Amino acid sequence: MPNARAVVDRLLGTFADATRGRDERRAVRLVKLLHTLVTERGESTGAVMARRAVALYNGLEESGRALLFDRLAREFSPDPDLVFAAASRYLEEPSPDTLAHLLRVSEPPRQEVFRRMNSAGGGTATLVGLRSRLLERLGAHPHLESVDADLTHLFGSWFNRGFLELRRIDWNTPASVLEKLITYEAVHEIRGFPDLKRRLERDRRCFAFFHPALPGEPLVFVEVAFVDQMPDAVTPILAMESVIGDPRRARCAVFYSITSCQPGLRGISCGNFLIKQVAEDLQAELPNLKQFVTLSPVPGLRAWLAERAARRPSLAPLLALLEAGAPLPGPGFDEMLSAVTAHYLTREWDQGQARDPVARFHLGNGARLERVNPRADPSAKGQRQSLGVMVNYGYALGHVERNHESYMRRHVVAASSAVERQAKEARTLLGEDPGPH
Amino acid sequence: MPNARAVVDRLLGTFADATRGRDERRAVRLVKLLHTLVTERGESTGAVMARRAVALYNGLEESGRALLFDRLAREFSPDPDLVFAAASRYLEEPSPDTLAHLLRVSEPPRQEVFRRMNSAGGGTATLVGLRSRLLERLGAHPHLESVDADLTHLFGSWFNRGFLELRRIDWNTPASVLEKLITYEAVHEIRGFPDLKRRLERDRRCFAFFHPALPGEPLVFVEVAFVDQMPDAVTPILAMESVIGDPRRARCAVFYSITSCQPGLRGISCGNFLIKQVAEDLQAELPNLKQFVTLSPVPGLRAWLAERAARRPSLAPLLALLEAGAPLPGPGFDEMLSAVTAHYLTREWDQGQARDPVARFHLGNGARLERVNPRADPSAKGQRQSLGVMVNYGYALGHVERNHESYMRRHVVAASSAVERQAKEARTLLGEDPGPH
Amino acid sequence: MPNARAVVDRLLGTFADATRGRDERRAVRLVKLLHTLVTERGESTGAVMARRAVALYNGLEESGRALLFDRLAREFSPDPDLVFAAASRYLEEPSPDTLAHLLRVSEPPRQEVFRRMNSAGGGTATLVGLRSRLLERLGAHPHLESVDADLTHLFGSWFNRGFLELRRIDWNTPASVLEKLITYEAVHEIRGFPDLKRRLERDRRCFAFFHPALPGEPLVFVEVAFVDQMPDAVTPILAMESVIGDPRRARCAVFYSITSCQPGLRGISCGNFLIKQVAEDLQAELPNLKQFVTLSPVPGLRAWLAERAARRPSLAPLLALLEAGAPLPGPGFDEMLSAVTAHYLTREWDQGQARDPVARFHLGNGARLERVNPRADPSAKGQRQSLGVMVNYGYALGHVERNHESYMRRHVVAASSAVERQAKEARTLLGEDPGPH
Amino acid sequence: MPNARAVVDRLLGTFADATRGRDERRAVRLVKLLHTLVTERGESTGAVMARRAVALYNGLEESGRALLFDRLAREFSPDPDLVFAAASRYLEEPSPDTLAHLLRVSEPPRQEVFRRMNSAGGGTATLVGLRSRLLERLGAHPHLESVDADLTHLFGSWFNRGFLELRRIDWNTPASVLEKLITYEAVHEIRGFPDLKRRLERDRRCFAFFHPALPGEPLVFVEVAFVDQMPDAVTPILAMESVIGDPRRARCAVFYSITSCQPGLRGISCGNFLIKQVAEDLQAELPNLKQFVTLSPVPGLRAWLAERAARRPSLAPLLALLEAGAPLPGPGFDEMLSAVTAHYLTREWDQGQARDPVARFHLGNGARLERVNPRADPSAKGQRQSLGVMVNYGYALGHVERNHESYMRRHVVAASSAVERQAKEARTLLGEDPGPH
C-alpha cells in the first residue's frame, strides 16, 4: 500500500515541519530579543533579558540554532559605511576621540550580544556550548566565521591565564570531575575509575586548569608519570597493575597525555601554560627531578609517509610496513623508521610551522625534540596514525625561550644530536637534496 | 648663608633627578619589554615576560608611571594607514575575512599588552591599580584617554556580571575584608569595627560583589536595613545602640548605602546589578518585605540651588538657608525645600540625563522617586552637599523596565504623586514657565 | 630426601620464629611504653610518647598484637583490693570525695592508655583499627572482653551523636569516599562507579555520618529511593537503567540499605539516629513525601524455619522450598510464606528482643512492621538467608515513641493489621497454641 | 509612709517568688526528663528528648540552675550498696564480667545524662556553659563537686588533644573569632581591632585550638613574637606603632601570652600541647629560630613577698617598694628584686609543686627558667601582682622530658646558671638556712 506509506511520510514530514517551525519561531524570537538587548543602553533590565535569552537559546534545537547563527552573522556585523567614515577621520587626525569612535563602530555588535548573554547565570557555559555547535556548522557554512571570530576574541580575553585556576586532580577529587577526565581523555583511553585511580597514585600526577565561571569543568588537563629515565614506550606507564614508585627517587617527569576538554574552547589554548606551570611547580616540590619530557604521538606521520612513498621506490620497506600495519622485524627496520620520523619532524614545514600538529604545539612552546622511539605505542590508534612511533619533547625551562626563537624566526627545530644525526641519515632514503638546510 | 642653602638645594635636586632618572630608565625598560611581549606571537615565554612586566610596573614611582602612560598612548595605538586600508576593503566587500582583518588592525596593541600583563599572578590587581593611577593623571593629560578607553573596554569584559560572585558580608567575614568596608564606605562613615558590627546584625544586611581574580577585595557593596516603613531620616538607622529588630516582621528593606570600592574600576558599574539582585534574593528569603527603597543623598542640590538663587529673589529664604548652613525653623520652610528638591530631581536635565549624579544612577536603573525627606541627614557632608535632604528611590522590580524606558526615551522621571505635586508647586517659586512638560 | 625437607622446615620455622620474636619484642616495648605513658602524670612529653606508641602499634603484626592484647587485659585492670577499700568507704560515707576516689581506682588504667594514644595524630583511626583486630580474637579469647569493654566505653563517648556530622553523599563527593561506599555496602552490592552513580541521581539520596577525627571515612550510610508507593521488591530500585524520577512528585521514601562501615565501631550504633535524622530532613525538604519505610531483608528467616520445619510435617511445602532454593509456583504458596514470616517477626523472641537481627534494630528504633513481601529479593544472598522475602518497616516519626515503648516494655511488635492477620493465620500452620499472646 | 513601702516590697517579693517558682518548676520538669532520658535504654526517642532537655536547660535562670545542680548531685550518683556488692564480687573473682558489672554500677548516671544531652544540636556548647555556671556555685556548695567531677571526666575525654584542631589566627580570620580573642585575652589586654591587627602582622603569630563541636570558639590561644633576642620587657612587643620585623631573620620566638578562653573548660588544659606544637611547627617553618621562650608574669610574687616581709626586717627596701607601688631607683634594687624572685620561683614549693601558678604550668611542662627581668611590665596589673617582674621560661624541645622529670620527681627546678646564682644570693636576704637543697 504505497499510498498509506506516502500518507504516513507526509504526516511525519508535517510533524517535522511543525517541530522545525516551532524551533525556528523560537530562534526568531531570540534574535529579536538580542537586538533589544544590545540597543538597550541603560541596562535597567539587562539581567532579566539576558536570562531570558540564555533560556531561549538552551531550548533551541538544530534548525533553530542554524537560523540563529545565520542571523548573528548577517545582522550583527559593523556597518561598513560607518566604519569607513570613522577610519577616514582617524586617518586624518589620530586622536583619542577619533580612535574611540572608530573602535565603537568597528566592533561587531555581536560581541556586546555575547557579553550581555554572559551576564546571566550559566551564561558562560551556554556560550561555550554555543561555540561548540557553531564549530560543527562552520565547515559547511564559512560565512559563520565572523561569528566564531567574535567568540574567539571574547573567550581569549575571558579565559586569560590570569583567570584560570590550576588544580591538582587526585583520588579525593569529586567523582563528577574525574568522570569528565575519563570522558575527555583523548590520547590514551581511560577504562573506568579503577584505571584512572592508578593514574592518580603517588608516582603519577594530574593537573587541570579550571575557570571560576565553569566550576567543576576542567578546561585542559595533563597527566604526569614519575620514572627513572626518559621512557621509550607508553605501555609500562599505562599498566594498571604496575608497582607504585617513589616520587622522591624519580629522575624524570613524563607528560604522557595532554587533553583539552571543551570543544567550545578550541584554539583558546592554555595547554602551553599548563605544561610549563606544572614543570615549574614539580621542580620546586621534587628537586630530585632532573628532566621534564613528554611521550607524544606523531599523528601526521603515516599520512605524510604514504604521500611521500608514492613517489620514492626506496621507501618500499616502509611502504610494506604501511600495508602490514605493524612494525616488521627486518634488520635495520627500526632505524629506518626512526630516521624518517626524525626527518619528518625537523625538516617538513607547512606555512612556517612544523607539519605535524603535535610537533607544532611542543616546538612552538620552546621544547626540544629529544628522541624518537619506534614500537612505543601498540594501540590501534597509535599504529594507524603514528606507525607506533612516539617521541620525547624535552622542556628544559631555561632553554625554552632560545628554542622558541630559533623555531619561530629561523625555522630550525631544536633537537638532540642523536635526532639530528637520524634526520641527516634519512636524506638519502628520502632522496632529499643534502644541501645546506 | 644663601650659598650654603643653594648648594643643599642643588644637591637635593641632583638626588631627586637621579631618583627620577632611575625610575624613568626602569619605565623605558618596561616599555621595551611590552613591545616584545606584544610582538612575540608564540607565547613561549609569555608567562615569564608577563611576570617581569608586572614586577617592573609595581616598582615604578610617579615619574616612571608618567613616562609609561605617555608611551602607552603614543606607541601602542593602531596604525591609521592600515586601518584606513582595511576599512576600505571592508566597505568594498564586507566578508568574514575583511572584517577579521579590519578588527585585527584597528584594535590598539595596548589591549594585547594589558591582556598579556593580566596573565601573570596578580596581574589583574596590578592593572586595576594602574588604571587608578592613570585616572589621576587623566584630567591634566587628555591624550591618555585612549589608554583609559582600552582598560575600560577590557575591564568591562572581564568584570562582566557573569564573572562576579555575590557574597553576604557578616560578622563571620574575615576581618581583612571588613576593614576594607570601613575604609571604603563613602556614604555614611563607619567608625571602627563596633560600628560596623551593628550594621551586620540580623536586622541589617550587607552584600558585595567579588571577582575571582581579586580575592578578598570587595568591588561594590550595599548596606540594607530592615524597618517597619519607608524611613525619612538616616540617624536611627546608623545608631549603634539601637534595638535589634526582627527581620521576619519588617515591611521595608532600605538600601541606605551603596559604595564602589575600587577607584581603578570607576565606571565599570555593577552597582545596578547588585541592588536588583539583592532585592530579588531578599524578596525570596523574606516574603514579609513589601517595599525596597533607598535612602539617598542629593549631592548636587546645594550647588544647583546656589546657582539658581543668584538669579531669583524669591529664593531668598533658601539662600538664607544656604548661608546659615542648617534648616531654619521658619514656617513652611521644609515644604519649600522639599518642593525645590522635587523640581531639581525631576525637571533638571543635563545632556539627556538627570542632573543629580545619584538620581542619574537610580533613575537610570528604573527606580521611582518616592519621597523627599528634609532634615534627614544631619552630617556635615549631608548639609554641605544635600542641605540635609535625603530621598527615597523605590525599586519595584515589576516596574523597573517601564520606569527605565520612560526615563531614557521620554525623559520623564517616574515619581510618586506627592513628589509630582511638590515639583509643580516649585514652579512659581523658581519662576519656571508652568507650560506643559 | 626427608632430611633435606626437615632442614628446610626447620629453617623456615626459625625464620618465622625470628620474625615472631621481633614482633613480640616490639610489642613488649610498646607495653612498657604504655605503662610509662599512663603513670607519667605531668604529660610533659605525652605528645611525643603517644606518637611513639601509635607508631609502634602500627608496626605490629599478628603475634605482636596478640601479646599486646593479652597484656592489656592482664596488666591494666583496676586493683581489686583498692577498689574494695574504696567501695567500702563510699558505702560508709557517700560524699563527693569518696565517690571521686572510688571512680579513680575503679576505672581501668587501660582507658587512660587509650585516651593518651588518641592524642597523637591519627590516634583515633589507630584505635578503631585496634578494636577491629581485637574483635577478631575475642571469640577465642574471652578474657580480652574487658579490653573491648573499655574501648566500647570510650568510643561510645567519643562517637556521641553530638560529634558526628551528617553529610549528603552525591556525585560531587570525592571518589575516595565513594569507593568506600562501594567497598562497604553490605546489603545490596554496588557493582562499580556507574552503578553507584545511578544510586546518587536526583530520585535517590545517600547520607552518611562522619567523625571529625576520621575525615573521609563514612561511619554508617543510608541509601534512599523516592518512589510512588511502598515498594514490594528491590530489583526496580537497584536497576541501573531505570528512568530517573522526580523527587517532588514522590510519595514514599524508601530506606533500602543501611550499612555500617567500620568493623572497629561495631555496636557503637548511630544508624538509628541516621534514619530518623534523614527522615526529618527529607520531610522538611520534600513535603510531598507521605511515608518513610525501609525495604529490609529478614536474614534469620531461613535458619529459624529450617529448625522449626524439622519438627512440623505441615511445614512440608516450605521445607520443599528450602530445598529448591526458590519460591515455588504452588497455589497459596506466597500467602503461606508471608504468614510464616509475619509470625517469625512478631512472635518469636530471644531474651526480650525480636529474634531477627534486622527486626531487632528497626523495632527497637520504634518502627512498625508494615508489610511482608515474598519474592522481593532474587539475589543469591536474599534467597539463602531471607528466602527472597523482604519487609517494610515504617518510620512514622510521631508514633516512634509509642511503638518503642510497647516493644521494649510489653514485648508487643507494632504491626499493620494485615501483618497481624497473617501472623494469626500462621498459628495453625506452625502448630502454635492460639492462646493469648 | 512605711506601709506603702512595705506593700510595694511585698508585691515585688511576690513577683520574684513567682518568677523563681516558674523557674524552679521548669528545673523540676527538666530533672524528671533527665531521669527518663537515662533509664530509657532503647534510645528510640533519645534525640528528641535530648533536644528538649537542652532547650529546657537553656531557658533556666539562676534559681532553676541551683535546683538542677543540687538534684544532679543528689539523685544521679551511684547506689553505694550496689557498688559495694559489685566491688566484693570483683575482689573475689576479678574477671571481665565482674569488672564490667563493677564499672556499670559505679559510674554515676550523671555521666550518661551528660552524654545524652550532648547528642542534641548545640549540646556540647550547652554543657560547657553549664559547667561554667556550676563552677561559680562550687565554692559555696562543695557537695556539687561530684557533678563537676563527672563533667571534668567527660570533657577530658571529649576535648582530648586528638580531637582538637590547631588553627592559625590572622587578619583573614572571621571577625567573630577575633572579637573573642579581644574579649578573652587575660595577660595583656587587647585594645580593639587595630591593636589586635598589630599582633597578627608577619613578625607576630597567633594560634588557637578549636574543637569541631564548638565551631568559631577558640579554646586556648597563644601569641608569639619573633625578635632578635630573648626579651626583657613586654612594652616593645605590645607597642602598636612598632616597626614590623622580618620573621626570616628573627632568632627568638617569644610566647608572650597564653590564654584559656572557656571558663567551662577550666582544668581541661591543652595549653601545654599548644605551646609545644607551635614551637615544633615554627621550628620547621623558620629554621632561623634558635630559641623558644615565654615572657611571663610572676602573679604570686607580691602576695608571697608581703607575707614573708612581715617576718624579716632585712626585706625593708622591698617592703617600701610594695608600699610605693613602683620600682625604686635605689642602688642594687633591681638585683635584690631579681634575686628574691629567683628564690621564689625555684625554692618555694606548695604540695610538691612550684608555688607560683604560672611557674607551675611552665615548669610542669618541662620548661627551664632562663632569666628574671625586673621592670619588665609597667601595667597596673603587672605591678599589682608581679611587682613589674617578668621571667623567661625556655622551651628547648630536646630537654623538656629531662626538666620535667627533675621537677616532678626530685623537685628541682631547671634554671639557667644566672638564675641559680641569684637564688643563692637571696638566701641571706631572706634569712634562709643556706643548707643543702
Side-chain angles (χ1 to χ4, degrees), chain C residues 237-294:
Chain C
I237 290 173
L238 300 180
M240 269 184 67
E241 67 286 0
S242 56
V243 176
I244 295 170
D246 180 355
R248 314 228 141 259
R249 289 158 177 271
R251 293 182 48 82
C252 180
V254 191
F255 298 83
Y256 66 95
S257 178
I258 300 140
T259 302
S260 292
C261 304
Q262 310 293 333
L265 291 177
R266 197 166 78 198
I268 316 299
S269 177
C270 293
N272 54 345
F273 282 106
L274 183 60
I275 292 178
K276 285 169 197 166
Q277 181 76 58
V278 167
E280 213 175 306
D281 292 357
L282 289 178
Q283 185 64 91
E285 184 196 338
L286 298 167
N288 46 299
L289 293 173
K290 300 303 175 205
Q291 211 176 13
F292 295 85
V293 301
T294 73

Side-chain angles (χ1 to χ4, degrees), chain C residues 40 42 44-45 51 78 81 83 87 90-91 102-103 106-107 115 118-119 153 157-158 160 162-163 276 280 404, chain D residues 40 42 44 51 78 81 83 87 90-91 102-103 106-107 115 118-119 153 157-158 160 162-163 276 280 404:
Chain C
E40 190 64 23
S44 88
T45 51
R51 254 184 258 169
D81 290 320
V83 171
Y90 180 59
L91 181 63
L102 170 65
L103 289 172
S106 60
E107 187 192 275
R115 280 193 293 262
N118 189 68
S119 73
H153 178 79
S157 199
W158 290 345
N160 186 291
F163 302 135
K276 285 169 197 166
E280 213 175 306
H404 171 77
Chain D
E40 190 63 22
S44 87
R51 254 184 259 169
D81 291 319
V83 172
Y90 179 59
L91 181 64
L102 169 65
L103 288 172
S106 60
E107 186 191 276
R115 281 193 292 264
N118 188 69
S119 72
H153 178 80
S157 199
W158 290 345
N160 186 292
F163 300 135
K276 285 168 196 163
E280 214 176 305
H404 171 78

Side-chain angles (χ1 to χ4, degrees), chain D residues 36-78:
Chain D
T36 314
L37 189 61
V38 90
T39 50
E40 190 63 22
R41 308 206 53 197
E43 304 194 337
S44 87
T45 51
V48 175
M49 275 197 284
R51 254 184 259 169
R52 224 180 289 153
V54 163
L56 273 171
Y57 173 79
N58 284 318
L60 289 188
E61 291 171 34
E62 202 175 338
S63 51
R65 284 191 299 262
L67 188 149
L68 170 69
F69 296 161
D70 187 63
R71 299 288 202 89
L72 279 170
R74 292 186 202 286
E75 302 174 13
F76 292 85
S77 287

